[in-house]
Amino acid sequence: MASIRERQTSKAAGWSRRTGAFSVVLLLTVFIGHRYDVVETPAFLWVLGIVALLAALALLFAGLAFSRLWHFGDRGGRDLTVGTLLAVLVLVPFGVAAYWAAIYPPLRDISTDFDDLPVLDVSARTKDMNELSPATPGEQRLQTESYPLVTGRSYNLPFDRIVDAAETVVDRHDWQLTAPYPDATGQSQVTINAMARSFVIDLPVDVAIRITDDGDTVTVDMRSASRYGRYDLGDNAARIVGFLAELDQEVAGQVGAAQAE
Protein backbone atom coordinates (compact mmCIF):
# COMPACT_ATOMS: atom_id res chain seq x y z
CA MET A 1 0.00 0.00 0.00
CA ALA A 2 1.47 3.36 -1.06
CA SER A 3 2.15 5.79 1.77
CA ILE A 4 0.77 9.33 1.63
CA ARG A 5 3.48 11.99 1.76
CA GLU A 6 3.14 14.18 4.84
CA ARG A 7 2.79 17.90 4.05
CA GLN A 8 5.80 19.92 5.15
CA THR A 9 5.99 23.54 6.23
CA SER A 10 7.86 25.68 3.74
CA LYS A 11 10.91 27.28 5.31
CA ALA A 12 11.10 29.75 2.41
CA ALA A 13 7.63 31.06 3.29
CA GLY A 14 8.72 31.76 6.86
CA TRP A 15 11.85 33.52 5.67
CA SER A 16 9.75 35.59 3.26
CA ARG A 17 7.57 36.84 6.11
CA ARG A 18 10.51 37.52 8.42
CA THR A 19 12.58 39.29 5.75
CA GLY A 20 9.63 41.38 4.59
CA ALA A 21 8.78 42.40 8.15
CA PHE A 22 12.40 43.32 8.87
CA SER A 23 12.57 45.49 5.74
CA VAL A 24 9.45 47.40 6.84
CA VAL A 25 10.80 47.96 10.36
CA LEU A 26 14.20 49.02 9.04
CA LEU A 27 12.63 51.43 6.54
CA LEU A 28 10.46 53.11 9.18
CA THR A 29 13.30 53.29 11.69
CA VAL A 30 15.84 54.85 9.33
CA PHE A 31 13.27 57.24 7.85
CA ILE A 32 12.26 58.56 11.27
CA GLY A 33 15.90 58.70 12.37
CA HIS A 34 16.85 60.73 9.31
CA ARG A 35 13.82 62.99 9.67
CA TYR A 36 14.93 63.96 13.19
CA ASP A 37 18.65 64.17 12.28
CA VAL A 38 19.64 61.06 14.23
CA VAL A 39 20.83 59.31 11.06
CA GLU A 40 23.10 61.21 8.68
CA THR A 41 22.12 61.40 5.02
CA PRO A 42 24.94 59.21 3.55
CA ALA A 43 24.13 56.42 6.00
CA PHE A 44 20.43 56.92 5.32
CA LEU A 45 20.93 56.39 1.58
CA TRP A 46 23.01 53.26 2.16
CA VAL A 47 20.34 51.80 4.43
CA LEU A 48 17.67 52.54 1.82
CA GLY A 49 19.65 50.39 -0.60
CA ILE A 50 19.79 47.59 1.98
CA VAL A 51 16.04 47.90 2.55
CA ALA A 52 15.37 47.49 -1.18
CA LEU A 53 17.61 44.41 -1.29
CA LEU A 54 15.83 42.88 1.71
CA ALA A 55 12.43 43.46 0.13
CA ALA A 56 13.62 41.88 -3.12
CA LEU A 57 14.98 38.94 -1.13
CA ALA A 58 11.59 38.54 0.56
CA LEU A 59 9.96 38.31 -2.87
CA LEU A 60 12.54 35.71 -3.89
CA PHE A 61 11.75 33.60 -0.83
CA ALA A 62 8.05 34.02 -1.62
CA GLY A 63 8.63 32.74 -5.15
CA LEU A 64 10.48 29.69 -3.85
CA ALA A 65 7.74 29.04 -1.30
CA PHE A 66 5.02 29.34 -3.92
CA SER A 67 6.83 26.83 -6.09
CA ARG A 68 6.94 24.37 -3.20
CA LEU A 69 3.28 24.97 -2.40
CA TRP A 70 2.27 24.47 -6.00
CA HIS A 71 4.26 21.32 -6.72
CA PHE A 72 4.40 19.59 -3.35
CA GLY A 73 1.53 21.09 -1.38
CA ASP A 74 3.75 22.45 1.42
CA ARG A 75 2.24 24.55 4.17
CA GLY A 76 3.02 28.25 4.52
CA GLY A 77 0.47 30.05 2.41
CA ARG A 78 -0.18 32.66 5.10
CA ASP A 79 3.52 33.44 5.62
CA LEU A 80 3.97 33.57 1.86
CA THR A 81 1.13 36.08 1.47
CA VAL A 82 2.29 38.30 4.33
CA GLY A 83 5.88 38.31 3.09
CA THR A 84 4.79 39.22 -0.44
CA LEU A 85 2.53 42.05 0.72
CA LEU A 86 5.20 43.53 3.00
CA ALA A 87 7.85 43.35 0.27
CA VAL A 88 5.57 45.01 -2.28
CA LEU A 89 4.67 47.71 0.24
CA VAL A 90 8.36 48.51 0.75
CA LEU A 91 9.23 48.42 -2.96
CA VAL A 92 6.39 50.67 -4.13
CA PRO A 93 8.22 53.94 -3.20
CA PHE A 94 11.35 52.68 -4.97
CA GLY A 95 9.28 51.91 -8.05
CA VAL A 96 7.73 55.38 -7.99
CA ALA A 97 11.19 56.95 -7.66
CA ALA A 98 12.44 54.89 -10.61
CA TYR A 99 9.47 56.05 -12.69
CA TRP A 100 10.12 59.68 -11.79
CA ALA A 101 13.78 59.25 -12.68
CA ALA A 102 12.68 58.04 -16.11
CA ILE A 103 10.30 60.92 -16.84
CA TYR A 104 12.16 63.85 -15.23
CA PRO A 105 15.39 65.30 -16.70
CA PRO A 106 18.72 64.34 -15.05
CA LEU A 107 19.17 67.68 -13.27
CA ARG A 108 19.93 68.51 -9.65
CA ASP A 109 20.75 72.24 -9.69
CA ILE A 110 18.02 74.58 -10.98
CA SER A 111 18.27 78.36 -11.31
CA THR A 112 16.26 81.18 -12.85
CA ASP A 113 19.50 82.87 -14.03
CA PHE A 114 22.13 80.86 -15.91
CA ASP A 115 24.48 83.78 -16.62
CA ASP A 116 24.77 85.02 -13.04
CA LEU A 117 23.87 82.23 -10.63
CA PRO A 118 22.52 83.21 -7.19
CA VAL A 119 25.22 82.36 -4.67
CA LEU A 120 24.46 79.43 -2.37
CA ASP A 121 25.73 79.12 1.19
CA VAL A 122 28.24 76.26 0.92
CA SER A 123 29.46 76.38 4.52
CA ALA A 124 27.64 73.14 5.37
CA ARG A 125 28.64 71.26 2.21
CA THR A 126 31.17 68.44 2.43
CA LYS A 127 33.15 66.43 -0.13
CA ASP A 128 30.61 63.61 -0.25
CA MET A 129 27.89 66.00 -1.47
CA ASN A 130 27.14 66.99 -5.06
CA GLU A 131 29.66 69.36 -6.58
CA LEU A 132 28.35 72.81 -7.48
CA SER A 133 29.19 74.00 -10.97
CA PRO A 134 27.60 76.22 -13.63
CA ALA A 135 25.10 74.45 -15.87
CA THR A 136 26.43 73.26 -19.20
CA PRO A 137 24.71 74.46 -22.40
CA GLY A 138 23.04 71.06 -22.64
CA GLU A 139 21.75 71.29 -19.07
CA GLN A 140 20.51 74.83 -19.68
CA ARG A 141 18.59 73.72 -22.75
CA LEU A 142 17.20 70.70 -20.91
CA GLN A 143 15.98 72.87 -18.02
CA THR A 144 14.42 75.43 -20.35
CA GLU A 145 12.56 72.75 -22.28
CA SER A 146 11.49 70.75 -19.22
CA TYR A 147 10.66 73.59 -16.82
CA PRO A 148 9.48 76.64 -18.80
CA LEU A 149 7.86 78.12 -15.66
CA VAL A 150 11.22 78.44 -13.88
CA THR A 151 11.77 82.15 -14.53
CA GLY A 152 12.72 85.13 -12.38
CA ARG A 153 10.39 87.94 -11.36
CA SER A 154 10.51 91.72 -11.85
CA TYR A 155 8.45 94.15 -9.75
CA ASN A 156 7.92 97.90 -10.01
CA LEU A 157 7.87 98.34 -6.26
CA PRO A 158 10.29 99.57 -3.55
CA PHE A 159 13.24 97.27 -2.88
CA ASP A 160 12.58 96.89 0.86
CA ARG A 161 8.97 95.92 0.22
CA ILE A 162 10.02 93.03 -2.04
CA VAL A 163 12.60 91.91 0.52
CA ASP A 164 9.93 91.89 3.23
CA ALA A 165 7.57 89.93 0.98
CA ALA A 166 10.26 87.33 0.23
CA GLU A 167 11.05 86.91 3.92
CA THR A 168 7.35 86.48 4.67
CA VAL A 169 7.06 83.66 2.12
CA VAL A 170 10.23 81.99 3.44
CA ASP A 171 8.77 82.05 6.95
CA ARG A 172 5.77 80.05 5.71
CA HIS A 173 7.97 77.18 4.63
CA ASP A 174 9.74 74.70 6.85
CA TRP A 175 13.15 75.92 5.71
CA GLN A 176 16.15 76.38 7.96
CA LEU A 177 17.94 79.69 7.46
CA THR A 178 21.68 79.15 7.09
CA ALA A 179 22.28 82.81 7.96
CA PRO A 180 20.11 85.56 9.48
CA TYR A 181 18.00 87.61 7.12
CA PRO A 182 20.23 90.23 5.47
CA ASP A 183 19.82 93.91 6.35
CA ALA A 184 18.46 95.60 3.21
CA THR A 185 19.10 99.13 4.48
CA GLY A 186 21.22 101.00 1.95
CA GLN A 187 21.68 97.87 -0.17
CA SER A 188 20.81 97.28 -3.81
CA GLN A 189 21.14 93.49 -3.62
CA VAL A 190 20.56 90.89 -0.89
CA THR A 191 20.51 87.11 -0.90
CA ILE A 192 18.48 84.91 1.44
CA ASN A 193 20.09 81.50 2.02
CA ALA A 194 18.28 78.54 3.50
CA MET A 195 18.21 74.75 3.61
CA ALA A 196 15.05 73.04 2.44
CA ARG A 197 14.09 69.36 2.35
CA SER A 198 13.12 67.28 -0.66
CA PHE A 199 9.50 66.23 -0.97
CA VAL A 200 9.64 62.47 -0.44
CA ILE A 201 12.63 61.46 1.68
CA ASP A 202 13.70 64.76 3.24
CA LEU A 203 17.08 65.06 1.55
CA PRO A 204 18.76 68.44 2.23
CA VAL A 205 18.58 71.09 -0.49
CA ASP A 206 20.39 74.45 -0.62
CA VAL A 207 18.25 77.44 -1.60
CA ALA A 208 19.28 80.99 -2.53
CA ILE A 209 16.85 83.85 -3.19
CA ARG A 210 18.54 86.91 -4.68
CA ILE A 211 16.75 90.26 -4.74
CA THR A 212 18.32 93.01 -6.86
CA ASP A 213 17.36 96.67 -7.29
CA ASP A 214 18.13 97.53 -10.92
CA GLY A 215 17.00 101.14 -10.53
CA ASP A 216 13.78 100.87 -12.53
CA THR A 217 12.65 97.45 -11.29
CA VAL A 218 13.39 94.96 -8.53
CA THR A 219 14.42 91.53 -9.83
CA VAL A 220 14.07 88.28 -7.90
CA ASP A 221 16.07 85.21 -8.93
CA MET A 222 16.18 81.87 -7.17
CA ARG A 223 18.36 78.78 -7.13
CA SER A 224 17.71 75.35 -5.61
CA ALA A 225 20.39 72.64 -5.60
CA SER A 226 20.25 69.11 -4.14
CA ARG A 227 23.11 68.09 -1.87
CA TYR A 228 22.71 64.39 -2.65
CA GLY A 229 21.50 62.29 -5.55
CA ARG A 230 22.19 62.32 -9.27
CA TYR A 231 18.61 63.40 -10.08
CA ASP A 232 16.27 65.68 -8.17
CA LEU A 233 13.10 64.10 -9.67
CA GLY A 234 11.66 67.55 -10.39
CA ASP A 235 11.90 68.65 -6.78
CA ASN A 236 14.03 71.78 -7.27
CA ALA A 237 11.97 73.15 -10.14
CA ALA A 238 8.74 72.60 -8.22
CA ARG A 239 10.22 74.43 -5.22
CA ILE A 240 11.20 77.47 -7.29
CA VAL A 241 7.91 77.65 -9.19
CA GLY A 242 5.90 77.30 -5.97
CA PHE A 243 7.92 79.88 -4.06
CA LEU A 244 7.79 82.52 -6.79
CA ALA A 245 4.05 81.97 -7.28
CA GLU A 246 3.55 82.58 -3.55
CA LEU A 247 5.77 85.65 -3.80
CA ASP A 248 3.57 87.02 -6.59
CA GLN A 249 0.53 86.61 -4.34
CA GLU A 250 2.28 88.17 -1.35
CA VAL A 251 3.40 91.20 -3.38
CA ALA A 252 -0.08 91.59 -4.85
CA GLY A 253 -1.56 91.46 -1.34
CA GLN A 254 0.83 94.11 -0.07
CA VAL A 255 0.02 96.36 -3.04
CA GLY A 256 -3.70 95.93 -2.40
CA ALA A 257 -3.27 96.74 1.28
CA ALA A 258 -1.23 99.87 0.46
CA GLN A 259 -3.84 101.07 -2.01
CA ALA A 260 -6.61 100.51 0.54
CA GLU A 261 -4.70 102.58 3.09
Side-chain angles (χ1 to χ4, degrees):
M1 183 176 179
S3 60
I4 300 176
R5 179 181 178 276
E6 183 180 355
R7 294 180 62 191
Q8 299 180 358
T9 300
S10 172
K11 294 182 179 179
W15 277 110
S16 175
R17 176 181 57 80
R18 286 189 288 269
T19 307
F22 182 64
S23 67
V24 171
V25 173
L26 184 59
L27 177 63
L28 293 176
T29 301
V30 73
F31 184 83
I32 294 173
H34 181 257
R35 179 66 181 83
Y36 291 98
D37 296 325
V38 177
V39 179
E40 295 184 354
T41 301
F44 171 66
L45 296 176
W46 276 106
V47 174
L48 285 184
I50 295 173
V51 167
L53 288 176
L54 287 172
L57 187 61
L59 285 181
L60 177 61
F61 283 133
L64 294 175
F66 181 78
S67 177
R68 294 285 305 179
L69 266 67
W70 182 263
H71 291 98
F72 302 106
D74 287 1
R75 296 186 179 92
R78 180 178 299 177
D79 287 345
L80 162 65
T81 302
V82 172
T84 301
L85 291 176
L86 292 176
V88 170
L89 180 65
V90 169
L91 290 176
V92 163
F94 293 92
V96 172
Y99 173 72
W100 285 349
I103 64 174
Y104 284 110
L107 299 172
R108 60 194 182 196
D109 188 349
I110 305 296
S111 175
T112 60
D113 188 348
F114 295 128
D115 298 324
D116 184 16
L117 293 171
V119 179
L120 297 169
D121 184 356
V122 297
S123 60
R125 281 187 171 255
T126 57
K127 293 182 179 180
D128 60 339
M129 298 180 184
N130 292 331
E131 182 180 355
L132 293 175
S133 60
T136 64
E139 291 173 337
Q140 294 180 17
R141 183 175 62 255
L142 188 58
Q143 177 187 314
T144 302
E145 294 173 352
S146 303
Y147 306 122
L149 297 180
V150 177
T151 57
R153 297 293 195 272
S154 294
Y155 303 101
N156 293 313
L157 291 170
F159 177 69
D160 57 347
R161 181 175 295 180
I162 301 303
V163 173
D164 290 341
E167 292 177 356
T168 300
V169 178
V170 170
D171 289 339
R172 292 182 192 148
H173 294 264
D174 188 21
W175 296 352
Q176 178 184 343
L177 292 176
T178 56
Y181 284 129
D183 185 4
T185 305
Q187 302 292 325
S188 61
Q189 183 181 100
V190 297
T191 301
I192 300 173
N193 290 106
M195 187 196 72
R197 294 280 184 173
S198 63
F199 174 66
V200 179
I201 55 177
D202 282 340
L203 295 181
V205 178
D206 288 313
V207 176
I209 304 153
R210 185 181 64 204
I211 307 166
T212 306
D213 187 353
D214 296 328
D216 297 328
T217 61
V218 176
T219 303
V220 179
D221 284 296
M222 186 171 176
R223 184 181 180 186
S224 183
S226 303
R227 292 185 181 180
Y228 296 94
R230 296 179 59 188
Y231 306 146
D232 65 6
L233 308 181
D235 176 73
N236 289 309
R239 180 174 297 103
I240 292 175
V241 171
F243 179 88
L244 294 179
E246 287 187 46
L247 181 60
D248 288 338
Q249 296 177 356
E250 181 65 26
V251 170
Q254 289 192 9
V255 171
Q259 291 176 346
E261 292 177 359

